[in-house]
Amino acid sequence: MTDAILQIENLTKQYSGFLLDHVSFSIPKGSIMGLIGENGAGKSTTIKAALGLIKKEDGKVSFWGQELSMNENLREDIGVVFDGINFYETLTPAKVGSISNAAYKQWNSSLYSDYLRRFKLPADKEIKEFSKGMKTKLCIAAALSHNPKLLILDEATSGLDPVIRDDILDVFLEFVQDENHSILMSSHISSDLEKIADYITFIHQGKVLFCKSKDELRYRYGIIRCKTEVFHSIDPSEILACRKDDYQWNVLTADKESARRKYKNAVIDDASIDDILLLYVKGEQPK
Amino acid sequence: MKSLVLKDLYNISHNSKSMLFILLFFAVVFLPSSGIQGYVYTCALLCSMMIVTTFSFDERSNWTPYALVMPVSRNDLVASKYIVLFLFSSIGVLFGLIFGTIGGFIHRTMGIVPETLSEMPLSMAALTALAFSTVFGSISIPLTLKFGAEKGRILVFASVFIPVAICYIAYRLLAALGITMTDSLLAALLYASPAIALIWNYLMFKISCSIFSKKEF
């Protein structure tokens, strides 16, 4: 990928019982990268290591070609939303605005006020009186109002109802209308990523299993559902992951059209991101 | 840096009413016995202890990881806590001076004459109170950074005992060397306390930076 806003190469972090193992991917300008994986797969660890919140053992993380530790000013161009609010509950959106205004040179107070109006957030109400959705919207408003070029969202939409999630996803889609903007979004909610992501990076047990465009996953990946005898006739090189149900085998393949031509006795379905995730996590992968 | 200080001031302003009540209660209880100077010391020390509360707010809101993605360095974050400590202590001293003077005046009109423990001028009492409170408060910062706000609350007592223990050991050492602590030497030390506090705070700041640089979030 050329013109990468964020480039992660061989990012490695060792904890007792967990290894983030040489994670690599990059986010091109004007795109949304979805980071998926089961709980504990290493999504948040990747984001934290990229942001310098934890120390990496190995690897390189560069934003616009520069390491964050070498140029603190890069942080002006990065907006971050974590899961849950990071402001104390007695603060108000107005005070959050004042704090952020003092932090960022690029802070745009009128843009922040616009977001507060758009999200229907009262400026002088204490955060403790806000719903989870309102808190998330406040974090997003704060993250977007210093005109970042890269938005990093770590499970930001988890625990929100579909209506609020849809509102928020629209904001993200607007954000990437500017071709210099990008988003890195980790989420459990694959439907959100299916709606907005351009690329999907799948992390499983600390390793990147794949980093592909969403369209490639949508249009090329498929699931072969077949009986055991058909399963044994499948070329192992075509099997990405497989799992046996009570009555059939489910086989993930990277070329569903080819599978449709070759295996007439099998049903070939489109694969959703959830299907891919489940088969990789719960199924077997050929050696 | 300004944003970090502002955040602590906003957060702590929520506790200002209860702090005001405590300080006024202490004015009623301590002013007749300890005089204005003693009250200034009490206010400064109590306000300086609020620094641990700011850490508690930070932990509860998971503020620190967020702060570290803002354009501030880790050292900025530590420095902001020392600035906030200085502000809290200064507010305590100022409060003690104003309400101590008012309280002293009220007591005198009621015929209660405060037992002034010190003949130190009020200005010097204010300066030394600021020095002592920042010395005590500054120890709680590395301790809280290392062990967290919950344990930090307990360890804040250590911030009282550490300087006391150091002074006691120094006193015993001087005694062993045959140097007796005269009133003039004691006064000189007291007057030198602001300079000692500056050095002490710088040392604590460096220790805090070292602890914080190793922390992961």
Side-chain angles (χ1 to χ4, degrees), chain A residues 44-189:
Chain A
S44 293
T45 307
T46 302
I47 289 176
K48 285 176 181 177
L51 290 168
L53 297 176
I54 55 175
K55 286 192 172 62
K56 56 183 190 288
E57 256 107 58
D58 195 13
K60 191 181 170 194
V61 179
S62 49
F63 295 82
W64 298 277
Q66 296 178 75
E67 286 195 43
L68 210 52
S69 56
M70 295 290 115
N71 186 355
E72 291 285 341
N73 288 330
L74 292 176
R75 295 175 191 273
E76 286 277 351
D77 291 325
I78 304 169
V80 182
V81 181
F82 294 110
D83 179 17
I85 196 152
N86 299 93
F87 301 105
Y88 191 59
E89 58 183 13
T90 56
L91 292 178
T92 62
K95 286 176 180 171
V96 168
S98 302
I99 292 165
S100 305
N101 189 18
Y104 292 97
K105 288 180 207 146
Q106 298 175 177
W107 182 258
N108 184 335
S109 296
S110 63
L111 181 63
Y112 181 64
S113 301
D114 287 346
Y115 275 119
L116 293 187
R117 269 194 297 275
R118 178 176 174 175
F119 293 148
K120 297 185 178 69
L121 297 172
D124 293 317
K125 201 170 177 178
E126 288 187 351
I127 289 169
K128 65 183 172 192
E129 293 174 47
F130 284 7
S131 66
K132 182 166 170 53
M134 291 166 86
K135 287 176 185 172
T136 304
K137 284 176 173 176
L138 175 61
C139 292
I140 292 167
L144 289 173
S145 297
H146 59 91
N147 294 312
K149 293 189 179 79
L150 173 64
L151 195 57
I152 296 179
L153 310 155
D154 188 8
E155 302 288 354
T157 56
S158 64
L160 301 180
D161 69 57
V163 178
I164 290 178
R165 287 212 319 272
D166 198 60
D167 289 347
I168 289 171
L169 295 180
D170 285 343
V171 174
F172 297 158
L173 285 172
E174 277 172 31
F175 177 75
V176 288
Q177 290 305 303
D178 185 326
E179 60 185 19
N180 289 315
H181 289 176
S182 294
I183 296 177
L184 171 63
M185 178 178 178
S186 89
S187 180
H188 287 111
I189 307 163

Side-chain angles (χ1 to χ4, degrees), chain B residues 19 22-23 25-27 29-31 33-49 89 92-93 95-96 125 129 132-133:
Chain B
M19 194 55 172
I22 292 167
L23 293 179
F25 174 77
F26 273 56
V29 174
F30 289 119
L31 259 177
S33 58
S34 61
I36 301 169
Q37 285 90 340
Y39 183 61
V40 170
Y41 276 89
T42 308
C43 290
L45 280 169
L46 281 173
C47 287
S48 73
M49 284 177 189
S89 296
V93 168
F95 187 95
F132 284 129
S133 59

Side-chain angles (χ1 to χ4, degrees), chain B residues 71-94:
Chain B
V72 291
S73 67
R74 286 186 178 232
N75 283 4
D76 284 344
L77 209 139
V78 174
S80 77
K81 288 294 180 190
Y82 282 86
I83 292 170
V84 170
L85 169 66
F86 178 77
L87 288 174
F88 285 173
S89 296
S90 303
I91 290 166
V93 168
L94 211 64

Side-chain angles (χ1 to χ4, degrees), chain A residues 46 192 207:
Chain A
T46 302
D192 287 354
K207 287 184 180 169

Side-chain angles (χ1 to χ4, degrees), chain B residues 51-105:
Chain B
I51 195 69
V52 180
T53 310
T54 68
F55 281 103
S56 179
F57 291 156
D58 291 349
E59 275 183 20
R60 278 161 67 182
S61 58
N62 202 22
W63 162 261
T64 312
Y66 185 82
L68 291 175
V69 299
M70 297 198 307
V72 291
S73 67
R74 286 186 178 232
N75 283 4
D76 284 344
L77 209 139
V78 174
S80 77
K81 288 294 180 190
Y82 282 86
I83 292 170
V84 170
L85 169 66
F86 178 77
L87 288 174
F88 285 173
S89 296
S90 303
I91 290 166
V93 168
L94 211 64
F95 187 95
L97 280 174
I98 295 167
F99 284 85
T101 309
I102 295 169
F105 175 76

Side-chain angles (χ1 to χ4, degrees), chain B residues 195-214:
Chain B
I196 295 167
L198 265 178
I199 297 163
W200 178 270
N201 271 274
Y202 181 71
L203 189 72
M204 288 296 121
F205 168 70
K206 292 306 253 184
I207 293 169
S208 302
C209 287
S210 167
I211 291 168
F212 197 58
S213 68
K214 295 181 188 83

